[in-house]
Amino acid sequence: MTDPAKPTLLVVDGHSLAFRAFYALPVDSFVTRDGQHTNAIHGFLSMLILLLQNEKPTHLAVAFDISRFSFRTREYAEYKGTRSETPPEFVGQVPLLEEALQAMGVQTLSKEDFEADDILATLATRGAEEGFDVLVVSGDRDAIQLVRPGVTLLYPNARGVSELKRYDRDAVVERYGIEPEQYPDVAALVGETSDNLIGIDKVGEKTAVKWLKQFGSLDEILAHADEITGVVGQNLRDQKDRAVRNRKLNRLVTDVELPVGPLDLERKPIDEQAVRAVFDRLQFKTLLERVLKIAAAERGDSAPSAADAPPADSIPVIRTLVDEELAQWIKKQSASGTTPLGLRVETHGSSVTGFGLASATETVYVPWAEGRMDYVALETWLASDAPKYLQGAKSQYKALHGAGLRLEGIAFDTTLGAWLLKPGLKPESLETQVYDYLGERLAVADPSQLVPENEGASPATEAWYILRIAEYLAGRLDAGSRGVLDDIELPLVPVLATMELTGITVNHDVLSALTAQLSETAATVAAAAFAEIGREINLGSPKQLQEVLFDQLEMPKTRSNKTGFSTDAASLADLQEQNPHPFLDLLLQHRDATKLMQIIASIDKAIDKTGRVHTTYEQAGSSTGRIASNDPNLQNVPVKTEIGRRIRSAFEPSPGFETLLTADYSQIEMRIMAHLSGDAGLIEAFNSGEDLHRFVGARIFSVAPADVTPTMRTKVKAMSYGLAYGLSAFGLSKQLRIETSEAKELMTDYFARFGAVRDYLRNVVEQAKVDGYTTTIFGRRRPFPDLNSSNRVLRENAQRQALNSPIQGSAADILKRAMLSISADMAGMQSRMLLQVHDELVFEVAPGELDDLTSLVRARMGGAADLDVPLDVQIGTGPNWDAAAH
DNA sequence: AGACGCACGTA
DNA sequence: CGTACGTGCGTCTT
């Protein structure tokens, strides 16, 4: 660390760090209500605040580039020429960032014709001369050359700006094997893609370092170029101009004329008024708190305001409790009423080794060993309704289950809470949540080390943080989202956990037989395909397929994608029409067979010793509220083709169970659309008992329901389903392979009869534009920052997502509600709920329970929502999943 | 090894 | 130029 006796000068490359932050943080998640992107500002400030806290610089400056042009581009026009246009979402953030820095009392610097790194180089050099401990923060590798006694480089790692690696001289030597001042020589030889500086061909870091060690410097290497043998030696001699040019360009200027020197950069006090104003405009709540905390500390008034949570350094001292002491502690907590405790289960492998418990003021660690029975108090508390706050409650529930412990009283889950606040984010680790929501660091053990040199945080500390994150999140959830959390998501945790633990029986022999048959088909078809084109290629390689189709067979070009032209099934079907060739059909057959084999393999390898497959449900994985399934994904088991359905026939009731039962909602999304739009025609369609598409078709084509032809029905069906996805006339015409004009006409006719549907869909988007989010029937929100984007693609994507979200999300809510009431009703039964597939549930039925289960499932699914149209539930039973379909 | 794009399975 | 997912492969890049 830095010498406390010396002043510390911190100089930061504003542009490169802000740019890194821009790409490290999701651009969609940081947008103000009026559409201003703030992710780069947020990431940069967050990093800077950490630096202020950790490094306590006495002097500070942030340097910016004025433009992408400098003396270097004048010397070499292609310098940084490979850089693509700066994204517009980034450009607007820089002035705001400078404003925020100003409010924080941070000096910003820039200089015409020079890059920010040159300013850094100048200040670092002078600072070191004047007796400062200098810290240089830059995302540009060229800054390595600045490292020397008194100058340390902080360089962001690949993960963005959240972690800075410290390079002093020893660290540079360790990482690169050379002295810091030799680094530019290495870079000159190797080249720097990001600056569009091409190096010597075939010379990488290894070779460059080897030469430098041998000859000492680039000049000496070039002087002795004749002594270097082989292709690289020749390349060096041929291309030495490149190295010379690169070296000239990557030398940082250390004597830029600046209006200030290091001594002028003394930290100024934070202007709290101004900081509040700027951060308010940027809608940075957490960052504001963190800055104000620093401001308070620097003023020397350490008393936290009453509303503040305890600061990071006041994590209560961890006590390890067992036996009587533990029982007393739990008793004391329970006596204080319904105050929730943070809970963290510690596991090693699959076994439970301890517990962390925390209240706002106390942290407790409880060691646990398998089979110990002296923890009655803890066991009782876990299984009681006493409120517990967890992170990732489902996996904790399962871990406890494995140790023979029951968990009840899940009153908050920070994973679910964070997801309901921002459903677009993937679940975060606890460490990330601590950092993102509290701005603090949680120690994490290095998983790559068998004996970690840095210890992870204690489960007790983790439990305390969980409590604080939960409070943070709870304070930000609106009433609707809180209702979804309390009434749907939290109660669903044990239901899903139990389904995962139960698993579904899969018949390995059925799968093996299928694989054998498919692999034979694949081989035969491949051989025939090779015969057609006169050579053997990898049929799974889109690249090789493109060569065959468009070069060798000279077929017309299909729609293009990033790697050339598409070879997907739709494109191949088009080709078959325009340019029939036996190869095309054989290729499709091969794709079919191999795809099915893959799916079978993923299921088969997941079968456990008891013959069951246990998927894992991702409860916080989708933006709309749906549940996802993985490892293996049991929500995409084939059903549409005959051979695909044979995979479903491998899913059977477990021994001791009578049959499988499937129950699904028919046309639930259309029904929700009818309800939400209040369209009289559509509501009548569902109440009439007539086939939906026939009813709608009759209205649109002005014929009797009996006279709706299959073609008409197909068109109407595609139109109806497309509605909820924001389908365009163009898309509809492509799907139905009809003229755009006909598709347009179909849409016009449709809306002439069902106008309220169109009005509703329009209104959803309009309202979302105003509110910034959409809401499901039950109050689940999804934010849409891009609805007002100036980027058309972004905006139109957001519009379609916005009109779909209440529909898909409400359907998800309804099935989840049904699962909860079904699960509650099944408490006394032996039958088990096994799978959820978005609008379908699969059960295995214990002997004698079929009638009861059927009627209860029908009643609970049918009654899961009170809509203006009935919820139709289809139920089927059979000896396997395929046979149980209807 | 890890990231990315393509292609394709489901609702 | 149709929403929401997960997986496996090929390919290019650490």
Side-chain angles (χ1 to χ4, degrees):
Chain A
M1 296 291 133
T2 49
D3 182 344
K6 290 165 92 179
T8 301
L9 169 65
L10 181 71
V11 288
V12 185
D13 181 343
H15 234 101
S16 76
L17 269 296
F19 209 62
R20 290 233 180 191
F22 178 73
Y23 282 111
L25 298 177
V27 65
D28 291 352
S29 311
F30 295 88
V31 184
T32 63
R33 277 181 295 276
D34 41 1
Q36 172 66 47
H37 291 272
T38 57
N39 62 331
I41 309 174
H42 192 281
F44 184 95
L45 291 178
S46 177
M47 172 210 70
L48 185 68
I49 290 165
L50 276 177
L51 286 169
L52 292 179
Q53 285 171 328
N54 296 340
E55 310 295 345
K56 300 198 174 15
T58 53
H59 295 65
L60 169 63
V62 179
F64 286 93
D65 300 331
I66 284 185
S67 76
R68 56 193 293 176
F69 300 104
S70 66
F71 74 92
R72 291 187 179 86
T73 47
R74 274 189 284 112
E75 293 207 355
Y76 180 54
E78 287 81 29
Y79 180 69
K80 296 197 174 173
T82 45
R83 303 217 174 161
S84 45
E85 205 55 34
T86 317
E89 292 86 352
F90 176 76
V91 177
Q93 297 190 47
V94 175
L96 286 167
L97 173 58
E98 291 187 89
E99 211 177 310
L101 290 172
Q102 200 159 14
M104 289 171 67
V106 179
Q107 173 99 43
T108 58
L109 295 169
S110 52
K111 177 87 179 175
E112 190 70 51
D113 215 31
F114 290 92
E115 295 183 55
D117 269 343
D118 296 314
I119 299 174
L120 261 49
T122 302
L123 289 172
T125 310
R126 287 188 51 190
E129 287 165 5
E130 294 173 19
F132 284 90
D133 260 329
V134 181
L135 294 170
V136 176
V137 187
S138 175
D140 192 330
R141 267 194 289 266
D142 287 332
I144 291 170
Q145 63 188 277
L146 300 175
V147 173
R148 72 198 63 177
V151 181
T152 304
L153 171 67
L154 302 179
Y155 184 80
N157 68 6
R159 302 178 49 76
V161 291
S162 56
E163 282 170 35
L164 296 171
K165 175 135 173 68
R166 229 181 166 80
Y167 283 103
D168 55 14
R169 185 209 160 259
D170 290 348
V172 172
V173 173
E174 189 186 336
R175 164 66 179 79
Y176 293 96
I178 44 147
E179 298 291 331
E181 60 270 24
Q182 293 177 304
Y183 178 80
D185 290 351
V186 173
L189 288 163
V190 176
E192 179 64 69
T193 322
S194 66
D195 292 340
N196 198 24
L197 297 182
I198 303 163
I200 308 293
D201 290 345
K202 304 281 173 199
V203 175
E205 198 178 298
K206 285 249 171 70
T207 311
V209 168
K210 188 183 75 188
W211 288 347
L212 268 177
K213 285 193 166 160
Q214 191 177 345
F215 299 106
S217 73
L218 178 61
D219 290 341
E220 287 300 311
I221 292 170
L222 294 175
H224 292 87
D226 292 345
E227 300 165 24
I228 298 171
T229 56
V231 180
V232 279
Q234 191 56 46
N235 287 349
L236 176 64
R237 289 185 288 280
D238 292 346
Q239 303 162 0
K240 71 173 188 194
D241 289 353
R242 292 184 190 170
V244 173
R245 175 201 65 205
N246 293 349
R247 185 62 186 89
K248 196 166 163 193
L249 290 170
N250 72 18
R251 170 170 293 116
L252 295 178
V253 182
T254 56
D255 56 359
V256 178
E257 265 184 54
L258 293 172
V260 290
L263 281 170
D264 304 315
L265 298 173
E266 191 164 7
R267 287 279 316 282
K268 294 201 234 10
I270 293 171
D271 180 345
E272 293 192 26
Q273 225 35 41
V275 166
R276 276 182 202 281
V278 180
F279 280 42
D280 204 50
R281 199 140 46 85
L282 297 168
Q283 293 164 24
F284 290 166
K285 286 185 193 154
T286 323
L287 285 183
L288 177 62
E289 286 167 25
R290 289 165 61 192
V291 172
L292 293 179
K293 208 151 97 182
I294 294 179
E298 289 177 352
R299 273 202 315 274
D301 99 52
S302 56
S305 67
D308 273 356
D313 51 14
S314 74
I315 299 174
V317 175
I318 300 167
R319 287 180 298 149
T320 299
L321 299 182
V322 293
D323 300 342
E324 190 53 31
E325 253 190 319
L326 174 65
Q328 286 302 325
W329 190 81
I330 289 175
K331 195 172 158 193
K332 188 184 79 187
Q333 297 302 323
S334 308
S336 69
T338 53
T339 315
L341 295 184
L343 169 64
R344 184 69 158 181
V345 182
E346 181 190 50
T347 54
H348 281 125
S350 59
S351 53
V352 172
T353 53
F355 296 87
L357 304 172
S359 68
T361 53
E362 291 183 89
T363 53
V364 166
Y365 177 71
V366 181
W368 181 267
E370 203 98 36
R372 279 177 78 157
M373 292 310 293
D374 55 346
Y375 294 102
V376 179
L378 180 65
E379 210 173 336
T380 311
W381 175 75
L382 285 171
S384 75
D385 286 339
K388 298 151 191 94
Y389 287 3
L390 298 99
Q391 193 250 2
K394 179 153 64 67
S395 65
Q396 301 259 288
Y397 180 101
K398 287 168 72 178
L400 290 174
H401 178 89
L405 297 166
R406 260 165 41 87
L407 174 64
E408 297 267 345
I410 301 172
F412 203 95
D413 180 333
T414 61
T415 306
L416 294 174
W419 172 61
L420 288 171
L421 207 56
K422 291 194 172 179
L425 293 187
K426 296 282 142 245
E428 295 175 316
S429 67
L430 182 58
E431 296 75 40
T432 316
Q433 288 200 323
V434 167
Y435 182 67
D436 282 359
Y437 300 121
L438 307 176
E440 292 167 28
R441 287 290 185 181
L442 187 62
V444 51
D446 186 345
S448 63
Q449 291 171 309
L450 283 173
V451 183
E453 55 186 51
N454 45 338
E455 192 119 345
S458 158
T461 308
E462 294 179 328
W464 186 76
Y465 272 114
I466 289 167
L467 207 54
R468 285 186 58 202
I469 296 166
E471 278 161 14
Y472 173 93
L473 293 169
R476 278 156 183 79
L477 285 172
D478 62 281
S481 305
R482 182 68 205 214
V484 172
L485 179 68
D486 291 337
D487 301 339
I488 298 181
E489 302 299 346
L490 292 174
L492 198 60
V493 167
V495 176
L496 290 175
T498 306
M499 289 165 71
E500 293 176 15
L501 288 165
T502 305
I504 184 165
T505 294
V506 175
N507 188 326
H508 168 77
D509 295 338
V510 173
L511 295 183
S512 296
L514 257 177
T515 299
Q517 187 188 330
L518 287 167
S519 100
E520 201 180 311
T521 307
T524 314
V525 170
F530 297 151
E532 287 295 336
I533 57 172
R535 61 190 177 118
E536 293 196 7
I537 62 160
N538 184 344
L539 293 173
S541 160
K543 201 181 162 199
Q544 294 178 38
L545 283 174
Q546 285 177 33
E547 280 174 31
V548 170
L549 297 177
F550 308 119
D551 298 339
Q552 183 181 342
L553 300 178
E554 296 181 321
M555 292 194 178
K557 301 283 196 286
T558 56
R559 79 181 160 84
S560 60
N561 58 33
K562 286 189 182 174
T563 54
F565 300 96
S566 175
T567 65
D568 68 12
S571 302
L572 294 180
D574 279 343
L575 283 181
Q576 185 67 282
E577 248 178 43
Q578 298 172 45
N579 193 336
H581 195 289
F583 178 75
L584 294 170
D585 198 44
L586 292 165
L587 173 59
L588 282 172
Q589 289 181 44
H590 186 260
R591 284 234 181 107
D592 256 10
T594 48
K595 179 74 185 176
L596 289 171
M597 284 167 68
Q598 282 167 14
I599 291 178
I600 293 170
S602 76
I603 296 169
D604 193 48
K605 78 174 185 332
I607 299 178
D608 73 3
K609 289 183 288 286
T610 68
R612 290 189 186 80
V613 170
H614 309 264
T615 187
T616 303
Y617 290 105
E618 192 64 73
Q619 196 179 352
S622 82
S623 307
T624 54
R626 275 191 177 180
I627 299 168
S629 156
N630 55 40
D631 276 319
N633 183 353
L634 294 186
Q635 289 177 327
N636 73 340
V637 180
V639 69
K640 287 176 180 162
T641 62
E642 165 56 32
I643 184 93
R645 278 191 295 277
R646 286 173 59 191
I647 300 179
R648 290 203 169 204
S649 73
F651 289 72
E652 300 171 350
S654 299
F657 290 82
E658 214 166 63
T659 182
L660 287 184
L661 180 148
T662 70
D664 65 48
Y665 285 120
S666 53
Q667 297 135 349
I668 187 166
E669 297 198 347
M670 283 296 288
R671 286 168 199 267
I672 289 167
M673 226 175 2
H675 171 81
L676 288 174
S677 68
D679 187 286
L682 208 49
I683 292 175
E684 191 193 334
F686 283 118
N687 286 322
S688 71
E690 176 73 74
D691 170 87
L692 173 72
H693 305 305
R694 188 167 289 279
F695 182 100
V696 173
R699 288 285 176 97
I700 291 174
F701 295 109
S702 305
V703 296
D707 296 334
V708 174
T709 63
T711 318
M712 288 155 76
R713 190 175 179 283
T714 305
K715 288 177 180 172
V716 167
K717 189 175 170 184
M719 172 81 209
S720 287
Y721 277 109
L723 274 183
Y725 299 147
L727 185 66
S728 64
F730 180 86
L732 185 63
S733 73
K734 279 215 86 151
Q735 191 195 329
L736 291 173
R737 297 173 156 268
I738 58 176
E739 291 300 317
T740 318
S741 57
E742 192 192 340
K744 236 175 221 161
E745 209 173 310
L746 182 60
M747 291 183 86
T748 311
D749 292 347
Y750 196 105
F751 287 135
R753 304 291 180 173
F754 304 96
V757 175
R758 177 197 46 205
D759 296 344
Y760 162 73
L761 293 172
R762 266 194 202 151
N763 186 254
V764 169
V765 177
E766 283 311 310
Q767 195 59 45
K769 240 179 234 174
V770 174
D771 296 338
Y773 58 85
T774 60
T775 314
T776 67
I777 296 174
F778 299 97
R780 183 191 302 275
R781 286 188 182 183
R782 177 176 175 188
F784 284 99
D786 283 342
L787 278 179
N788 291 308
S789 170
S790 56
N791 179 328
R792 204 185 86 187
V793 178
L794 281 184
R795 189 177 61 244
E796 291 181 347
N797 281 339
Q799 288 171 354
R800 287 189 298 272
Q801 292 165 349
L803 70 85
N804 173 261
S805 274
I807 300 167
Q808 189 183 122
S810 296
D813 290 344
I814 290 173
L815 185 54
K816 284 176 170 178
R817 285 164 54 93
M819 290 170 74
L820 292 174
S821 53
I822 290 169
S823 166
D825 277 7
M826 286 177 69
M829 301 174 82
Q830 297 305 306
S831 300
R832 308 190 286 196
M833 184 161 24
L834 305 179
L835 299 179
Q836 194 257 34
V837 195
H838 307 310
D839 67 0
E840 173 187 14
L841 295 173
V842 180
F843 301 83
E844 57 188 3
V845 186
E849 294 185 347
L850 180 58
D851 289 348
D852 282 353
L853 186 66
T854 304
S855 57
L856 102 78
V857 167
R858 190 182 295 287
R860 293 311 188 184
M861 283 179 73
D866 186 17
L867 306 185
D868 293 340
V869 292
L871 281 174
D872 183 44
V873 180
Q874 303 272 346
I875 291 184
T877 57
N880 61 60
W881 194 4
D882 179 36
H886 20 265

